[in-house]
Amino acid sequence: GAGVSQSPSNKVTEKGKDVELRCDPISGHTALYWYRQSLGQGLEFLIYFQGNSAPDKSGLPSDRFSAERTGGSVSTLTIQRTQQEDSAVYLCASSLIFREQYFGPGTRLTVT
Amino acid sequence: AQKVTQAQTEISVVEKEDVTLDCVYETRDTTYYLFWYKQPPSGELVFLIRRNSFDEQNEISGRYSWNFQKSTSSFNFTITASQVVDSAVYFCALSPGAERGVTFGTGTKLQVIP
């Protein structure tokens, strides 16, 4: 079956622009996670969805970051007024609740 | 608050040596789940193992083994007879038994030298 997919794979944007990153989880996975991984760094948790609700948004670094999930499936992570420090690989993962996560290939965001 | 510590930033071993990757965690939850993931140079994270807090049995899968000790809050990972293909960054992670996100350690970069 299909794994987690993310689009775009690469995104270059100018400072100050808004960007939207998309995640298509594995069908049937109720939990969805967004992480950020800067060059050579670990995974920074951003937000967790269970179904369409986000019980844990504690990792979002600022109010420029938001995410939504519709139909218990696709999720979009939006970064407004991008800054250079937002440059990173944004990873999405999905899972059955409390089970192992399956990760997508990530979106590499570069803010110039 | 929960925390995962992987004190070893980088480890280099010669092929066929055994290597142990350490993971120490902190949590106030009585029910939780621990994971190990591998991130090879290609970049995509791969699940290796999941363990719940009620199961302290050690597990062996081929050349991989895991030692979970609640008394020391550790969940260490051993690779026996390492191979070059084991070269990757390995992450330990903790998930509480509640509706909260998963906390990853900072990772241990393993380099296996031929």
Side-chain angles (χ1 to χ4, degrees):
Chain A
V4 177
S5 61
Q6 292 185 245
S7 60
S9 54
N10 278 284
K11 176 73 176 178
V12 180
T13 189
E14 291 180 356
K15 179 181 170 181
K17 301 277 190 183
D18 297 352
V19 294
E20 280 191 356
L21 311 180
R22 178 187 167 105
C23 172
D24 278 277
I26 292 173
S27 177
H29 280 190
T30 54
L32 186 147
Y33 305 80
W34 282 99
Y35 297 90
R36 179 167 71 174
Q37 187 173 32
S38 302
L39 185 63
Q41 301 300 308
L43 280 82
E44 177 187 0
F45 166 77
L46 298 178
I47 188 169
Y48 156 60
F49 286 93
Q50 179 58 31
N52 290 336
S53 64
D56 191 351
K57 306 179 184 180
S58 62
L60 294 177
S62 76
D63 58 8
R64 296 186 296 105
F65 287 72
S66 63
E68 64 175 14
R69 188 179 186 195
T70 54
S73 182
V74 171
S75 176
T76 303
L77 176 69
T78 301
I79 309 173
Q80 295 179 310
R81 305 180 302 281
T82 51
Q83 304 293 313
Q84 287 186 330
E85 61 262 29
D86 299 335
S87 296
V89 176
Y90 288 81
L91 291 164
C92 174
S94 72
S95 76
L96 297 171
I97 191 164
F98 305 143
R99 301 295 304 190
E100 62 274 17
Q101 295 176 48
Y102 292 85
F103 283 81
T107 293
R108 182 176 298 278
L109 175 66
T110 304
V111 182
T112 61
Chain B
Q2 49 188 28
K3 185 178 178 182
V4 176
T5 301
Q6 295 180 255
Q8 304 149 307
T9 306
E10 289 193 39
I11 302 175
S12 288
V13 299
V14 176
E15 198 170 21
K16 297 185 184 175
E17 286 185 348
D18 298 348
V19 59
T20 295
L21 309 182
D22 298 333
C23 173
V24 175
Y25 62 91
E26 295 175 29
T27 181
R28 293 180 182 171
D29 295 282
T30 54
T31 301
Y32 51 89
Y33 302 86
L34 294 162
F35 304 84
W36 276 94
Y37 290 86
K38 174 182 179 180
Q39 189 174 38
S42 59
E44 202 148 332
L45 279 141
V46 176
F47 163 77
L48 295 177
I49 190 172
R50 169 186 181 267
R51 172 70 71 218
N52 75 52
S53 52
F54 295 109
D55 183 0
E56 286 193 73
Q57 266 194 323
N58 291 332
E59 180 156 339
I60 298 174
S61 175
R63 296 185 295 108
Y64 295 170
S65 62
W66 290 269
N67 182 3
F68 175 32
Q69 292 195 342
K70 259 177 121 167
S71 60
T72 55
S73 297
S74 65
F75 186 41
N76 296 337
F77 173 30
T78 297
I79 301 174
T80 304
S82 60
Q83 299 176 0
V84 173
V85 294
D86 296 328
S87 297
V89 180
Y90 291 85
F91 291 96
C92 180
L94 168 68
S95 174
E99 290 190 327
R100 294 206 300 279
V102 177
T103 300
F104 277 76
T106 51
T108 296
K109 183 176 181 179
L110 173 66
Q111 184 177 14
V112 180
I113 303 163

